[in-house]
Amino acid sequence: MSTSLRTAGAALTAVAALTATTTLAGAAGPAAGPASGPARPAPRFPRTVPVPTLPRPEDFVARVTHPYFPLRPGSRGVYRTVGGSAVQRDTVTVLARTRTVLGIEATVVHDVARENGEVIEDTYDWYAQDRTGTVWYLGEDTTSYDGGQVSHEGSWEAGVDGAYAGIAMPADPELGAPYRQEYLRGSAEDQGVVLDVRGKVTVGSQLYRRVLMTRDYTRLEPTLVELKFYARGVGNVMELGVSPQAERVVLVRFRRG
């Protein structure tokens, strides 16, 4: 990892400062102490990344097998949010069924978020992997519940009403490389950039090596900063919300399909 990018990661993480080897603590306690030495300004990443060109349907494969983003049907991860005002748990399940988007058979992932035991959001996400190994994000159908109010805000589908597919995970993540994760103007404009490709992270009692770290951001919420950590063979194991609210989302249980 380059010095400038490591320093950027450390500067971004007010919740859990990064050490020189990008080792973090997980659900059980605070993160490792900050790297020694004076902090340097974080490098500037592009605020706008071009919308990628979606390959043809025949250029996709049947399963999502990316080592950092495996979606094997039957797999399930349970995540706990630490640092918020309420207890939130997310259950993410890879379903055996698919959904056709722009002629592409996409894997369906069901994400149910509960706060203090009650469902606050119920989402179906659609992913597909092309022959190069890139995992594409083709849309989501989300329903949120707030005080008796039901909303589908944030839902989108590639090819519908000006929405475009984005990249959920590059085939070969390159240090410092930005990528657009989704695009529906004014509604879904998440982007990411790779900050590390060989870190280590401890979540609870589990140590993960060769961890991929990304910084996620969006033009729609310029102050929002999130760091995400992906372990090989598992996928997302931790998320750190640095601003505007310090939050940590950690994997507490995982079952392979």
Side-chain angles (χ1 to χ4, degrees):
M1 184 178 188
S2 69
T3 302
S4 61
L5 286 173
R6 179 177 284 112
T7 304
L12 287 168
T13 315
V15 177
L18 303 183
T19 65
T21 56
T22 320
T23 302
L24 302 172
S36 60
R40 286 184 278 178
R44 294 182 178 179
F45 298 114
R47 297 305 301 176
T48 302
V49 181
V51 176
T53 300
L54 185 68
R56 300 171 300 176
E58 56 266 33
D59 292 328
F60 281 81
V61 297
R63 299 292 187 187
V64 178
T65 59
H66 195 295
Y68 286 113
F69 207 94
L71 297 179
R72 185 172 179 175
S75 295
R76 175 175 294 180
V78 178
Y79 298 83
R80 179 164 62 93
T81 299
V82 181
S85 58
V87 177
Q88 180 172 322
R89 282 183 177 263
D90 282 63
T91 302
V92 181
T93 307
V94 182
L95 304 183
R97 61 187 177 89
T98 61
R99 178 186 174 93
T100 303
V101 180
L102 294 175
I104 301 165
E105 291 298 311
T107 296
V108 179
V109 177
H110 189 203
D111 184 349
V112 180
R114 291 180 171 85
E115 192 172 275
N116 297 328
E118 295 189 3
V119 175
I120 59 172
E121 192 168 274
D122 192 330
T123 302
Y124 292 90
D125 295 294
W126 312 312
Y127 300 96
Q129 181 174 304
D130 67 25
R131 295 185 186 279
T132 71
T134 297
V135 180
W136 291 83
Y137 187 26
L138 300 175
E140 65 177 281
D141 179 7
T142 183
T143 304
S144 61
Y145 306 89
D146 184 9
Q149 300 297 313
V150 179
S151 172
H152 298 285
E153 184 177 358
S155 297
W156 65 279
E157 180 176 340
V160 177
D161 296 331
Y164 293 86
I167 294 174
M169 183 62 64
D172 185 17
E174 297 181 7
L175 196 63
Y179 54 99
R180 183 175 285 279
Q181 300 166 336
E182 58 183 7
Y183 186 73
L184 175 58
R185 183 176 178 82
S187 180
E189 299 189 28
D190 289 0
Q191 301 176 140
V193 63
V194 178
L195 290 183
D196 196 3
V197 293
R198 53 183 178 84
K200 292 187 292 184
V201 61
T202 300
V203 180
S205 60
Q206 180 67 49
L207 171 64
Y208 298 99
R209 303 178 185 274
R210 299 173 65 188
V211 170
L212 170 72
M213 178 174 71
T214 66
R215 174 186 186 267
D216 287 9
Y217 57 98
T218 174
R219 184 186 66 83
L220 303 178
E221 298 180 73
T223 62
L224 184 64
V225 178
E226 291 184 328
L227 301 179
K228 294 185 179 180
F229 302 82
Y230 299 87
R232 295 177 67 88
V234 178
N236 186 12
V237 296
M238 181 186 288
E239 299 178 10
L240 298 177
V242 178
S243 69
Q245 181 177 341
E247 277 191 344
R248 182 172 48 183
V249 180
V250 293
L251 179 67
V252 294
R253 189 162 63 250
F254 178 71
R255 183 191 70 192
R256 286 184 173 84

